Amino acid sequence: MQFKPLEKVLTISGLDKRYGKIHAVNNLSLEVEQGSVFGILGPNGSGKTTTLGIILGVVNANAGSFSWFHESNSKQNRKRIGAILEQPLFYPYLSAYRNLQIVADIKGISYDDIERVLKTVELWERKDSKFRTYSYGMKQRLAIASALLGNPEVLIFDEPTNGLDPRGIAEIRELIIQIAEQGITIILASHLLDEVQKTCSHVVVLNKGQKLFEGTVNDVLNLSNTIELSSNNLQILELALKEFKNITDIKPEKDRFLITLAEGVTTTDLNTYLISKGVVLSHLTMKKKSLEEQFLELLSEKS
Ligand SMILES: Nc1ncnc2c1ncn2[C@@H]1O[C@H](COP(=O)(O)OP(=O)(O)OP(=O)(O)O)[C@@H](O)[C@H]1O
Ligand SMILES: [Mg+2]
């Protein structure tokens, strides 16, 4: 099999949206690669839903552009995208199966796909129950099934676990990961770090409509690495650390030092250097900052 470079599913450039004095989306650019689970993370009012509205063609931007699948937005492309934006309108007195038949009619596709999507969201056994008898979590899963009808290549979620209990939250996150494993690209807006950390491969962090950070979730976790180290002779260790140019920060603690290495410098580099100086470490651990700490830092830097 030949290696295929990753395709860009969505490209947004210089997107801007104002509501009067409110700058809801501020010069936003980003790219979503095929197969990724792309998180749009930001506090309430940071412009996530507005951005999703623009790329789905229901909100008009004041400036900037976006393209799906390298093409300007055409009706044909819209069929390749499924969205679960809010509680969708299902008929309360009809069964889940009947409701999906109606959706299939609207989408102009056959009923053959209904069994597959109901099985994916684990509602096949309950297909004949009336929608009004569904729990909140089941309603959310039916919304996902409905979006999956017709095999979209991209699924868009806006706060998919809002209002669910811990079990419902875990189920929906599990389902999103499972859908992503089938090769569907996912774009997910959330104000919950934990959600993005648990489900997404990539993240863009928004605040007041502006992009603060974009990268893989792993990159975000690696943004800043603090290393804790100690030796039997702290004075010699301190001297050696101060001479090492690849350290950006040294904090002495009671019996150890907390240091930050410059970008691209590994603990192996550090250790090799220390050994060359005759320093033997008694302790070395990496302390990764959680996405949460970094998220809060990012927000406080900009506000
Ligand atoms: N139709 C509208 N008219 C006026 N202002 C709007 C409208 N829609 C959004 N806004 C404003 O734009 C800003 C961004 O809102 P948006 O809903 O995109 O944020 P969000 O990140 O989705 O927030 P949340 O986490 O609360 O869902 C907010 O200040 C909001 O009040
Ligand atoms: Mg929103």
Side-chain angles (χ1 to χ4, degrees):
M1 225 171 67
Q2 234 187 335
F3 175 73
K4 254 177 86 184
L6 285 171
E7 281 286 324
K8 300 273 182 282
V9 165
L10 170 68
T11 306
I12 293 180
S13 60
L15 217 55
D16 224 82
K17 176 69 182 176
R18 286 174 192 270
Y19 291 106
K21 281 185 186 156
I22 296 166
H23 208 163
V25 180
N26 188 346
N27 192 24
L28 180 66
S29 300
L30 57 86
E31 287 183 330
V32 178
E33 278 173 2
Q34 187 177 34
S36 60
V37 182
F38 193 94
I40 300 177
L41 176 64
N44 293 139
S46 54
K48 305 180 294 292
T49 301
T50 305
T51 302
L52 296 184
I54 294 169
I55 62 177
L56 284 167
V58 293
V59 174
N60 288 320
N62 299 127
S65 62
F66 64 93
S67 70
W68 286 104
F69 313 104
H70 299 289
E71 294 162 41
S72 55
N73 210 19
S74 73
K75 280 231 162 86
Q76 206 50 37
N77 277 338
R78 189 62 187 79
K79 285 194 170 169
R80 298 164 73 178
I81 306 158
I84 303 110
L85 293 189
E86 51 193 46
Q87 205 59 43
L89 295 171
F90 290 117
Y91 294 96
Y93 290 95
L94 297 180
S95 70
Y97 192 87
R98 183 68 196 113
N99 267 297
L100 289 192
Q101 282 183 323
I102 292 167
V103 175
D105 287 342
I106 293 167
K107 290 189 177 183
I109 55 174
S110 86
Y111 298 159
D112 298 348
D113 209 20
I114 296 176
E115 180 172 347
R116 176 186 71 87
V117 298
L118 280 176
K119 283 183 172 166
T120 301
V121 302
E122 293 182 14
L123 285 177
W124 181 242
E125 312 277 288
R126 295 292 304 270
K127 68 177 176 9
D128 297 320
S129 302
K130 289 192 169 79
F131 178 72
R132 72 177 172 82
T133 68
Y134 269 21
S135 72
Y136 198 79
M138 290 163 76
K139 286 176 178 168
Q140 185 66 346
R141 298 212 308 271
L142 188 65
I144 296 172
S146 166
L148 282 170
L149 273 180
N151 264 319
E153 291 160 62
V154 183
L155 265 197
I156 297 178
F157 292 88
D158 193 3
E159 309 280 359
T161 59
N162 259 7
L164 300 180
D165 67 13
R167 198 174 127 210
I169 290 174
E171 279 173 9
I172 295 292
R173 288 180 184 167
E174 190 51 45
L175 184 55
I176 291 171
I177 292 166
Q178 213 182 304
I179 292 167
E181 279 167 0
Q182 295 170 12
I184 297 177
T185 307
I186 296 196
I187 299 173
L188 181 159
S190 176
H191 66 285
L192 302 170
L193 287 150
D194 183 47
E195 184 145 288
V196 169
Q197 212 161 5
K198 285 191 172 134
T199 54
C200 298
S201 58
H202 294 71
V203 61
V204 54
V205 180
L206 294 187
N207 188 33
K208 295 174 188 162
Q210 270 184 314
K211 178 168 77 178
L212 299 188
F213 182 83
E214 183 185 17
T216 66
V217 169
N218 276 339
D219 279 347
V220 184
L221 291 171
N222 281 318
L223 258 188
S224 166
N225 288 324
T226 304
I227 294 163
E228 197 180 83
L229 34 87
S230 190
S231 159
N232 291 337
N233 191 327
L234 289 174
Q235 271 176 330
I236 294 178
L237 174 61
E238 183 168 15
L239 278 175
L241 289 176
K242 282 184 173 160
E243 275 175 30
F244 192 47
K245 291 194 175 57
N246 294 324
I247 295 178
T248 56
D249 190 36
I250 305 180
K251 277 196 197 88
E253 296 225 318
K254 199 169 134 235
D255 58 347
R256 60 195 59 190
F257 291 93
L258 289 182
I259 65 160
T260 309
L261 291 178
E263 224 181 282
V265 181
T266 64
T267 48
T268 310
D269 298 335
L270 173 72
N271 218 357
T272 310
Y273 162 80
L274 288 173
I275 288 166
S276 79
K277 291 280 166 182
V279 178
V280 179
L281 294 175
S282 57
H283 174 86
L284 186 153
T285 44
M286 304 266 285
K287 295 185 86 178
K288 280 190 179 175
K289 276 192 194 167
S290 71
L291 182 56
E292 177 149 21
E293 286 171 299
Q294 291 176 48
F295 181 57
L296 295 175
E297 259 176 40
L298 280 171
L299 293 184
S300 65
E301 277 169 19
K302 295 278 170 173
S303 54

